[in-house]
């Protein structure tokens, strides 16, 4: 996961209109998540990108933030996707994307699921939790001095990690109220496997702690970074761990013995994603996508391909949603009584217009992807903000 202000994911791009007229341009991804062959990524431009062909082709379709995207999450089975950047975040569950704004001025660094809920966390000790994906409530008990950079879901507890050791980590049994627990070092990422929480420090040290208390940390390994890093990612899937930091990507069968992933060059790595089938993807600071297959902690030599993407975003959506402290919102779901009630929403989101139907505003897109004809106003159920139903 990311560290504040350093760099810094996403759904299927569905187009009924032909996209042959769209220009593909280089893109740099700063966050990535992958599951079931579908990849979502966040860009340095604050946009969401997606690929349904394991990274062969990409499209940008939603402008989340004025800042780079710091984290993205895609659930393996439920179709839930969520992306954070700056104080803004957006969520989809096999349908339209809804946008939200954190209730305080924070920089969100991480997102993840735990025990039937989804969390976003960031600087200033800020964290928000949602069970239904629409209403978000601020978590309690965390010091506003803590810089929250990652979270991990244990068997009965959720652990939120703070960057600075002196601020400790934060543990909750109910997912709502958190208490302070020790941190073993300045931390940049955490994970969970079996009955243990895993902590990856900025100097490469790896620690474990029983997940029922997260108080006693034991050093089990050290990843050989040449110097401490400002950000890193530690993930667990397919029965193994993978980690990235600086220009190093490495994997392990047990968190103790680590083997570097071979690749043709070594640009800096922003983020990695490991699928349940062992396929590993990474985003690099030279605008390439790392791709390899791993098993048992050993990976094939990685391919690194230049990222190019089409862009169908219509304008910024950040700042248009509900509050992350308990409100809902998004491009589609502002209440209305007449079409004129939707004018401000359309202007704020860079839409051609919006109409009121059954008490909700629906967006109009003026030009479809093929460059000809006007797209009709569409209901949220058909894909808010896309031009899928072109007449």
């Amino acid at each position: 996961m990311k560290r504040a202000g350093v760099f810094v994911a996403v759904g299927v791009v569905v187009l009924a209109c032909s996209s042959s007229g769209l220009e593909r341009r280089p893109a740099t991804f700063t966050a990535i998540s992958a599951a079931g062959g579908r990849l979502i990524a966040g860009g340095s431009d604050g946009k969401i990108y997606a690929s349904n062909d394991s990274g062969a082709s990409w499209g940008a379709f939603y402008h989340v933030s004025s800042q780079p995207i710091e984290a993205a999450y895609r659930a393996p089975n439920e179709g839930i996707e969520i992306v954070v950047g700056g104080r803004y975040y957006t969520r989809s569950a096999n349908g339209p994307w809804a946008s939200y704004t954190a209730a305080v001025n924070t920089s969100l660094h991480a997102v993840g699921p735990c025990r039937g809920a989804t969390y976003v966390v960031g600087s200033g000790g800020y964290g928000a939790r949602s069970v239904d994906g629409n209403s978000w409530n601020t978590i309690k008990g965390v010091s506003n001095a803590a810089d929250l950079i990652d979270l991990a879901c244990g068997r009965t507890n959720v652990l939120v990690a703070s960057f600075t050791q002196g601020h400790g980590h934060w543990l909750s049994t109910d997912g709502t109220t958190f208490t302070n627990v020790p941190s073993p070092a300045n931390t940049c990422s955490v994970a969970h496997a079996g009955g243990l929480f895993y902590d990856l420090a900025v100097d490469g040290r790896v620690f474990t702690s029983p997940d029922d208390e997260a108080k006693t940390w034991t050093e089990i390994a050290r990843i050989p970074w040449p110097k401490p890093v400002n950000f890193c990612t530690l993930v667990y899937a397919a029965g193994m761990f993978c980690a990235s930091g600086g220009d190093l990507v490495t994997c392990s069968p047990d968190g103790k013995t680590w083997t570097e992933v071979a690749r043709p060059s070594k640009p800096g790595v922003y983020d990695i994603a490991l699928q349940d089938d062992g396929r590993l993807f990474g985003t690099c600071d030279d605008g390439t996508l790392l791709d390899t297959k791993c098993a048992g902690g050993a990976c094939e030599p990685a391919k690194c391909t230049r990222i190019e993407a089409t862009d169908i975003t219509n304008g910024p959506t950040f700042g248009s949603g509900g509050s992350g402290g308990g409100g809902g919102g998004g491009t589609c779901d502002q209440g209305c009584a007449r079409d004129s009630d939707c004018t401000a929403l359309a202007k704020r989101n860079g839409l051609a217009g919006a109409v009121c139907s059954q008490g909700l505003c629906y967006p109009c897109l003026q030009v479809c992807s093929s460059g000809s004809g006007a797209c009709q106003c569409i209901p949220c159920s058909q894909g808010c903000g896309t031009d899928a139903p072109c007449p």
Side-chain angles (χ1 to χ4, degrees):
M1 295 301 170
K2 303 297 177 297
R3 244 314 267 133
V6 180
F7 306 105
V8 335
V10 189
V12 181
V13 176
V14 179
L15 297 176
C17 301
S18 168
S19 60
S20 58
L22 294 177
E23 181 183 358
R24 298 177 64 192
R25 297 180 179 178
T28 300
F29 296 163
T30 49
I32 192 166
S33 183
R38 173 171 166 75
L39 282 69
I40 57 171
S44 60
D45 54 5
K47 296 179 180 179
I48 299 175
Y49 294 79
S51 172
N52 290 325
D53 51 14
S54 297
S57 58
W58 291 88
F61 64 96
Y62 207 86
H63 196 176
V64 180
S65 174
S66 58
Q67 301 178 38
I69 302 300
E70 290 217 26
Y73 171 74
R74 170 169 168 75
N77 301 315
E78 299 88 345
I80 297 172
E81 298 170 339
I82 185 165
V83 182
V84 300
R87 64 182 298 192
Y88 308 112
Y89 54 108
T90 185
R91 179 187 182 276
S92 172
N94 287 317
W97 287 80
S99 297
Y100 305 90
T101 305
V104 300
N105 188 16
T106 181
S107 180
L108 298 172
H109 302 320
V111 59
C114 189
R115 304 179 65 195
T118 303
Y119 295 81
V120 295
V121 298
S123 63
Y126 179 80
R129 173 181 184 268
S130 178
V131 175
D132 62 8
N134 297 312
S135 299
W136 292 81
N137 298 302
T138 304
I139 61 176
K140 303 174 183 178
V142 180
S143 167
N144 59 13
D147 189 6
L148 306 180
I149 47 84
D150 204 359
L151 62 107
C153 185
R155 295 171 298 177
T156 58
N157 296 319
V158 55
L159 178 72
V160 177
S162 178
F163 178 74
T164 304
Q165 182 182 9
H167 293 147
H169 291 336
W170 303 85
L171 191 71
S172 176
T173 57
D174 64 7
T176 300
T177 302
F178 288 74
T179 57
N180 197 220
V181 292
S183 166
N186 288 352
T187 298
C188 51
S189 192
V190 290
H192 180 270
L196 298 172
F197 285 123
Y198 289 74
D199 182 296
L200 179 54
V202 298
D203 60 6
R205 286 180 293 165
V206 181
F207 301 85
T208 62
S209 178
D211 64 3
D212 58 351
E213 48 97 352
K215 296 179 180 179
T216 306
W217 293 93
T218 302
E219 183 177 343
I220 62 169
R222 186 164 194 149
I223 296 174
W225 290 326
K227 61 182 180 179
V229 298
N230 287 324
F231 67 97
C232 70
T233 305
L234 176 66
V235 292
Y236 179 82
M240 63 183 178
F241 297 89
C242 288
S244 66
D247 63 359
L248 183 68
V249 182
T250 183
C251 294
S252 169
D254 54 9
K256 300 176 181 179
T257 304
W258 294 83
T259 303
E260 183 175 354
V261 177
R263 48 194 178 122
S265 62
K266 294 186 64 174
V269 179
Y270 288 133
D271 198 12
I272 56 172
L274 180 62
Q275 291 191 148
D276 287 336
D277 63 358
R279 193 160 181 185
L280 177 67
F281 297 94
T283 60
C284 303
D285 62 13
D286 64 348
T288 60
L289 180 74
L290 178 152
D291 182 1
T292 186
K293 188 67 180 293
C294 308
C299 302
E300 299 173 0
K303 297 182 296 182
C304 292
T305 56
R306 185 71 53 186
I307 299 168
E308 292 186 340
T310 57
D311 191 335
I312 60 171
T313 55
N314 291 279
T317 56
F318 43 90
S320 64
S323 166
T331 306
C332 277
D333 61 4
Q334 175 174 300
C336 59
R338 58 193 65 84
D339 287 355
S340 58
D341 295 337
C342 302
T343 302
L345 178 142
K347 183 178 180 180
R348 185 166 59 242
N349 289 279
L351 301 169
V355 296
C356 182
S357 177
Q358 298 181 347
L360 296 176
C361 291
Y362 297 125
C364 304
L365 303 183
Q366 188 170 25
V367 179
C368 61
S369 303
S370 63
S372 62
C375 287
Q376 64 188 19
C377 294
I378 58 176
C380 292
S381 60
Q382 295 180 1
C384 174
T386 74
D387 57 358
C390 290

